[in-house]
Amino acid sequence: SHKLGTLAVKEPDNNWWGALGLESPEALIKVFVMKSGCFTLLDRGRGFQAAQQERELASGGELQGGSNIGKGQVKAADYVMIPDIVSKNNDSGGSNIGGFLGSFIGHGAGAILGGLSISSKTADVVLTITNVRTSEQQAMEEGHGAKRDIGFNMGAGWGGWGGFGGAGISNYQNTEIGQVIVLAYIDAYTKLVGDLGGLSGNASADAPTQAVSMSRP
């Protein structure tokens, strides 16, 4: 019913996605955050670096008058979210039960059954949210995704992925293990937002008061 605060997404230290031929899950989670509207998404990646360059130009007096770029304008992140993976099974071959059945049936029917296979792909992921002000882990949720295909050597398609390619995460759309990981992250994200639903949405006011140093009484 309301935004839960400002959020920055950081990729985990271990590059598990590279071995699977996928893009960083940071971009994937940003799509969830933007589409859900549960947080105000802050950029702490390349976009922020480019913004910093503009600020350096402003501080050096290079920008036109009235540009209104300076100190005290950057929004603070209330929370940092880190997407990680616990386990994965990207088995694409599966077990050829058709060959087993074919040995009993034989003839033409056995040849058809010989092409039948079952493949199961699973992924378990975890999403962690840390409170920037208190360093508390505000929430942690695991998500599970699974996909089982039964077919005659045919890859299953997937619909409803509009806009993912434009976000730079097309491999999550175009690979089966990528699709399973997306399902797992959706599961984790949904649970996590439910966990945080009772927050006031004003993390700054909820945090303890800052400590100050007085130079004179």
Side-chain angles (χ1 to χ4, degrees):
S1 59
H2 63 277
K3 287 186 181 293
L4 299 172
T6 56
L7 179 73
V9 182
K10 295 284 188 180
E11 64 183 32
D13 293 331
N14 57 322
N15 185 339
W16 54 262
W17 54 91
L20 299 176
L22 300 173
E23 295 88 352
S24 168
E26 176 186 349
L28 178 67
I29 300 303
K30 285 181 176 179
V31 172
F32 293 168
V33 174
M34 288 295 293
K35 288 184 175 294
S36 70
C38 297
F39 299 91
T40 298
L41 182 63
L42 302 183
D43 191 340
R44 291 295 188 264
R46 294 181 181 177
F48 183 70
Q49 294 172 8
Q52 289 297 89
Q53 292 179 358
E54 292 298 308
R55 295 184 167 277
E56 290 173 5
L57 291 173
S59 64
E62 300 296 332
L63 298 185
Q64 296 178 5
S67 296
N68 191 24
I69 296 178
K71 293 184 178 297
Q73 293 179 318
V74 177
K75 232 182 212 313
D78 297 323
Y79 307 102
V80 175
M81 180 183 288
I82 299 178
D84 213 338
I85 194 166
V86 179
S87 65
K88 65 190 182 305
N89 170 24
N90 57 337
D91 172 33
S92 59
S95 57
N96 191 332
I97 63 170
F100 175 76
L101 293 175
S103 63
F104 289 94
I105 297 177
H107 303 296
I112 295 175
L113 288 173
L116 179 65
S117 65
I118 296 179
S119 61
S120 179
K121 302 167 187 64
T122 62
D124 293 282
V125 302
V126 62
L127 285 177
T128 306
I129 277 199
T130 301
N131 188 310
V132 170
R133 294 175 177 85
T134 65
S135 77
E136 296 173 290
Q137 285 197 342
Q138 201 81 40
M140 177 186 291
E141 278 292 353
E142 291 187 7
H144 177 75
K147 184 177 182 181
R148 170 163 287 187
D149 298 330
I150 302 178
F152 293 92
N153 296 330
M154 295 184 295
W158 195 272
W161 294 82
F164 270 41
I169 48 176
S170 58
N171 282 351
Y172 285 94
Q173 172 186 1
N174 298 328
T175 63
E176 290 187 328
I177 186 61
Q179 295 166 9
V180 170
I181 290 173
V182 169
L183 294 177
Y185 274 128
I186 289 175
D187 182 35
Y189 183 76
T190 303
K191 294 175 182 175
L192 187 139
V193 169
D195 291 344
L196 299 177
L199 294 179
S200 68
N202 191 345
S204 176
D206 296 339
T209 305
Q210 297 182 60
V212 296
S213 299
M214 303 299 292
S215 60
R216 63 183 64 181

